[in-house]
Amino acid sequence: MKYISKGMVIKDSTEDLLFVTHNGIDFQLTGEQAALWLNGRFGFAKTRKTVLEEKALRQLARQGLVEITEGDGSVFEYRALTQCILVPAKSRSSCTMLSALQKELLSWISEAGLRLTVAELVFLAEHGITPAAHLLGAGNRQALTETIYTQDNIFDNILETQMEHAVTRDEVVSALLKLLKKKKILLL
């Protein structure tokens, strides 16, 4: 099975005793669960398909600490990421080693004034909409929302489904995973 971890490490943790928070709930992970969560922390990971591992992974999924993909392709990674909240990490390092798309996505995630979903980020990239002052910040939430949502995509999950077929989907997903690996964003 392929999966990605959600949540954030809190307190002093070790590989044997891991403290993770997700949606305001703190979890203490040990053994197989801790190892699995750590393996999926900075990108998609695969299990070795042992019964113990799959049982531990299912428990992590019930706790909301991982998203399990339904398959191996990039569309499955996209679908898993649509179930995650993207937040900027409190990083002290500079952004000089980021691609133009990674910088753009990080600007959207950090400065939009609202939590953008993966589908919304794909939409912005697909339509060549770049971060600009009139779309950024809390005061411009409505303008950004009206830029993304129309009569054709405002209903439940329509945008997610439309962006599943977007030309830029894989490029955006790849850039987001690189930001995660570089510790620029977190998945919640």
Side-chain angles (χ1 to χ4, degrees), residues 27-50:
F27 298 90
Q28 180 178 317
L29 305 178
T30 59
E32 199 70 50
Q33 285 186 338
L36 286 167
W37 190 89
L38 286 170
N39 287 343
R41 183 178 181 192
F42 297 117
F44 283 92
K46 284 187 177 183
T47 62
R48 294 182 306 261
K49 296 186 180 180
T50 66

Side-chain angles (χ1 to χ4, degrees), residues 6-7 18 20-30 33-34 37 55-68 188:
K6 300 188 317 188
L18 185 63
V20 176
T21 188
H22 181 258
N23 287 342
I25 302 170
D26 296 346
F27 298 90
Q28 180 178 317
L29 305 178
T30 59
Q33 285 186 338
W37 190 89
K55 183 178 177 185
L57 190 62
R58 296 273 181 220
Q59 178 61 32
L60 287 171
R62 280 191 296 278
Q63 293 170 315
L65 295 174
V66 298
E67 282 299 325
I68 300 172
L188 300 179

Side-chain angles (χ1 to χ4, degrees), residues 77-98:
E77 289 181 355
Y78 166 79
R79 288 177 186 166
L81 289 174
T82 63
Q83 302 304 307
C84 301
I85 299 169
L86 307 168
V87 296
K90 294 176 181 154
S91 177
R92 293 176 205 85
S93 60
S94 69
C95 296
T96 56
M97 299 302 289
L98 300 179

